[in-house]
Structure formats: C-alpha cells, structure tokens
Amino acid sequence: MVKISTKLIFAMIALSPAIAFAQAGNVGVNTVNPGSTMDINGSLAANYKAVTTATYNLALSDFHVSYNGSSDAVFGLPPSISGIGNFKGRIYRIKNNTNFKITVNAVAPETINGNTSISVPANQSVELVSTGLTGTNSTWELLSTGTSATGDYIIVKPNAAQSVSTGSDVTFGSVIASNNITYSAGVFNLKAGKTYVLRCQLHATDFSLAGGFFVYEWVDASNNSVLPSSTTGVVDAINNYPATSIGGQPEAYAIYRPTVDTSVKVRLGGAGTAQLNPGIGFMTVTELAGGNGNGGTTIINNNITASNGLTLSGTDVKLGGTLSQATDIATAGNNLSINGTGKVLVGTNTVPAGAASAKVVIDNGTTNGALQIKDGTQQLGYVLTSDANGLATWSSTVTTAFADNWTSYTGTLVNPFTGNSGGDNLPTGLSVNIPAKGWYFFRSGITITSTCNDYWFYIPGIGEVWKSYCGTASPDPINFVPRDQTRVLYFAAPGVYPIVAHKTNLVVPTGFNGGNPSFYLDFVKFQN
C-alpha cells in the first residue's frame, strides 16, 4: 500500500492550475475568482446508488439512491448526531423507479417536516436535507418532490342548441379532451382531496324577454347549492330583443377542493327563455397543480393507507385483497353486503329472520329464481347433492350407486314374540344408525312359522320395516308371507334408532328365523 502524507496532498492541490484560493477563504475550481465558499466552474458529481432490496438504511456515503425493487420498500434515515459528527445540511435524493411505494422513516422521535415518515409513490422522487436538530425537532426537511404524472382535466363544448329557462342545467354533449374525470349529461364527478379549477362560458340567442338575461354558477349536483368559490357568469340580450345576434358576458369561475367525492354542474337562473348557442361556449375542469391529486404532487406524510380490500401502489388505489371491514355495495337498489360476522348477503344488507347461523343469504323478495348454479351437471328435475366432502353437484333424486351403498342393522336379533300375551314395543336387540336426515329405502326379510296372528317390526315414531297379517284360518302352523318386504321411511334427524316388535294376540310362533337366508335388514339413503 502506498502512503501519501497530508502535506504532500496540500502541496499538490496548491500547485494545480485548476484550483484557486481567494484571500476571503473561497475555493474555486476552474475559476481564479471564486465568488462563493466553493465555486465550481464545471460539472459536479456525487455518489449514485441503485438498490433493489425492500429494506434499506441510508448511509453517510449516499447522495442519490434509486429504487428498482419488486415490492413496496422501507428506507431508513440515519439518526441525528449532537456535537462532533453532526451532519447538518446533508442532502439525500431518493428516486422510485417502480410501480410500488417507498416509505421513508425518520428515527424516533425525530420527524420529517413534523411527520414520522413520508411516502414516495410510484415513479416519483423526493429530496431531503438534515436540519442538524436532534430529539423531537424536525430533523429533516423536504426540499422538493417530483412526478411525471398528468393532472385530471376535461373540456366539454356544445354540440347542439339548448333551450333553457330558470333552473336549467347546462348539458353540453361534446367531450373534446379528458383525463380521469367522468362526465355525463352536464355532471362532472370530482375526487376528494384534489383541487380543481372550474370554468364555464355561455352565449345565448332568442331571448323571450326584452332586455332579458340569465346568470349561471357552478353548483353541487346533489342539492343545487352554489359552490362557495363560484363567481357568477351572465348572458343577456343587450337591447337585441328579439334579434338572434349573440350577446353575453363571461364567465363562471371557481376553485374547488371537495372533502368527499362530489359531483358538480353549471345551473342557470334569470327569467324567460333563451337558446344556448350550439357552437360557442365551453365548460372545463382542471386539476390544480399542488392539489394533492395525480397532477404534480407527492403525499408527504403517512396518513393515507389502503385497507378494507384496497391495495395502494403509489397514488393508485385498487379494489382487491382481504376485506377488513364490513362492506355494503349498493347500486340501483341491488345489495351485496359482507358483514363482520362472516356472512355474505345478496339482495339485502339485513340478516333476515331464521338466518342467524347462515353464511350466505340470498333475498330475492317474492321473485322466483333467486339461485342459479350451472356446472354442466344440471338437468330438469335434478337436485343439488353433496359428496362426503361437501362438494355439491346436480344429480337425480335416487343415488346412482344404489346397490353398493347399503347399510345393515346393528345388534343381535332375539325373538321378541316369546311372550304368551299380545304386546307392543317388544325388544329385538337391533337398531339402525342413520347418518343424516332424509329419505331412506329399507329392505328386510324373516321366516316366521305360526298359526294365525299378526307380527311386525317397526321403528318408534318413524314406521314399520316388516309386517305380516294372519291370512288363513287353518289350525296348522304355516310360514307367514310375504317373507321379503321393502319400505320408504323419512328421518328428520340423524341418530341411532331402536327396532322393536309387535304381536296382536297370545300366539307364540312355532318357528322363528328358520329360513334360508336368515333374518336381514339393511337400508340406503336416496334423497334429502
């Protein structure tokens, strides 16, 4: 390593023809007569750095830092220093070359123009300077901001004559230039927090009153109240009654900054009637530079956030993401409401009676056809059917795999007909486990040999599953028929249901469950 002494360096500077020292202590570069402490007659270079990391702390060697990352970023300013090492006057320039936002934070409790942080929106820049102050003082000042964005504007002119009287709205129909301002039938839609210049010039003919006139002003379209800053324009007949030559006096002018999204228009007053000229006149709305809109300003605090399903990228706020608040979207009487209890309400923003546990509610009033689901499986007469995971498709009311889904009874069969007296609710030792409410198809069979009697098996409160009546007066025991039987039963709730038996008189069977096959009972669900 080569070491060069400080004395040698100063000697080299002193001998350089490009550097001059004045008696007053000024230093000049490429000039022998420096007029300032440092006078550079030429270009100046400072450190340039490009970063892509989403978290970056500005260093003492930084001057210009460009951000080229792929997400929102957070930049940290260095803590201020009291006494030796204080960097009062240090300048940082930050350029955002992305469609994301940079948040620049001061070290607490320090501030930037009184704010704990500032935002650098997409494709914009800021320049900061250290005040040298420490603690809770404003340790950084914002020198400048920059943007390439274009402000909002619109220019509208007449495209036909318009008959007007007292209370008429000006409805010029030809938009000849616009950017980010919507207009319809005389109404301009303005955004909250932006500052606009509003202008209108009108000319009229064919006044119905001699010496008649009309005045016009910018008003709030929702209630026709005159904007506080609007001047009054006048268009009059000026002794030309009833001539058709043009008279008038310009113009209605306003500077307006709505605190909420607002619609405005131009409204006429006066007396009689007239015709607004079809070729002369205009209405314009222009966002004023410095009005905190898209047209030339940067938001320099962190008081604007994107939440409730909004995403904020620079100055662009978009709908999407996770809804964090109850939301009601109502257009022309049609509601889509997402409330704070996890419910989605369609057609209403009020939870109707009986829907306390429902997550999706559709209220179509008294009109049929509130729900339509088309997935290719729909057919006439089909019902919505769930699989074991709750996935629903359209299917016929009978299960397609009918023969493969049978469930047998549980328990061990005992002969319930051994008692000498007739009886009801006789225990069989059997039960069925019903998994869900709905309609079930039952089949069963048993061989009973007996003289005349009535025997049956049933589920209390539901219905019988097998039953045979005495059909002969023969004194000899016979096999009761039909041996194999089927039933359709409805269960209102899942659960384990016991199977019991009944006989009508004293007869005890001489043979019980002696057939081949022996007793069986199984069931399958076929419809909800």
Side-chain angles (χ1 to χ4, degrees), residues 100-400:
F100 303 99
K101 178 185 71 174
I102 302 174
T103 299
V104 182
N105 293 325
V107 177
E110 300 173 17
T111 63
I112 308 168
N113 282 13
N115 299 293
T116 58
S117 64
I118 63 169
S119 294
V120 186
N123 300 305
Q124 299 191 27
S125 61
V126 296
E127 190 170 31
L128 300 165
V129 62
S130 170
T131 64
L133 300 175
T134 61
T136 58
N137 296 296
S138 183
T139 52
W140 297 91
E141 287 185 358
L142 186 67
L143 289 178
S144 63
T145 63
T147 178
S148 59
T150 301
D152 301 347
Y153 61 84
I154 189 169
I155 303 173
V156 184
K157 70 177 185 178
N159 60 353
Q162 180 187 346
S163 299
V164 295
S165 58
T166 299
S168 292
D169 297 331
V170 180
T171 57
F172 288 167
S174 180
V175 178
I176 58 177
S178 66
N179 180 59
N180 207 36
I181 296 178
T182 58
Y183 169 81
S184 177
V187 176
F188 300 85
N189 299 306
L190 308 184
K191 296 295 184 182
K194 296 186 177 185
T195 303
Y196 299 91
V197 175
L198 294 79
R199 297 181 60 194
C200 177
Q201 285 192 8
L202 303 179
H203 298 275
T205 62
D206 298 320
F207 288 85
S208 63
L209 299 177
F213 70 94
F214 282 97
V215 295
Y216 53 99
E217 298 167 305
W218 286 95
V219 303
D220 187 318
S222 67
N223 56 21
N224 294 326
S225 62
V226 178
L227 299 184
S229 61
S230 178
T231 64
T232 301
V234 179
V235 55
D236 59 24
I238 313 179
N239 300 321
N240 288 324
Y241 172 82
T244 59
S245 59
I246 297 175
Q249 179 174 325
E251 74 183 58
Y253 185 93
I255 297 178
Y256 184 54
R257 180 185 175 87
T259 57
V260 297
D261 290 357
T262 304
S263 297
V264 298
K265 62 184 179 181
V266 175
R267 186 173 174 85
L268 291 105
T273 62
Q275 292 282 325
L276 295 184
N277 190 274
I280 302 176
F282 66 85
M283 293 187 289
T284 68
V285 177
T286 307
E287 184 186 353
L288 185 65
N292 283 0
N294 292 335
T297 61
T298 299
I299 299 168
I300 60 171
N301 58 49
N302 63 340
N303 295 328
I304 294 181
T305 60
S307 62
N308 197 32
L310 303 177
T311 57
L312 177 63
S313 177
T315 57
D316 188 15
V317 181
K318 299 178 180 179
L319 180 64
T322 301
L323 289 173
S324 59
Q325 300 178 42
T327 301
D328 185 27
I329 302 171
T331 57
N334 299 310
N335 286 78
L336 172 61
S337 181
I338 303 169
N339 68 18
T341 61
K343 293 181 183 294
V344 176
L345 309 177
V346 181
T348 180
N349 59 4
T350 303
V351 178
S357 60
K359 292 301 183 183
V360 178
V361 175
I362 301 175
D363 187 350
N364 209 32
T366 59
T367 304
N368 293 333
L371 178 66
Q372 183 180 29
I373 301 176
K374 297 179 67 175
D375 64 355
T377 64
Q378 70 278 358
Q379 291 190 42
L380 179 64
Y382 271 34
V383 296
L384 203 60
T385 306
S386 170
D387 67 7
N389 296 318
L391 181 64
T393 56
W394 294 105
S395 67
S396 62
T397 57
V398 179
T399 56
T400 55

Side-chain angles (χ1 to χ4, degrees), residues 457-499:
F457 295 86
Y458 67 98
I459 299 173
I462 303 297
E464 64 191 39
V465 294
W466 186 93
K467 189 172 188 178
S468 182
Y469 292 99
C470 178
T472 177
S474 170
D476 300 319
I478 61 172
N479 290 336
F480 275 49
V481 294
R483 192 197 105 88
D484 302 288
Q485 300 181 27
T486 59
R487 297 288 190 276
V488 173
L489 301 177
Y490 178 76
F491 293 81
V496 176
Y497 292 81
I499 300 172

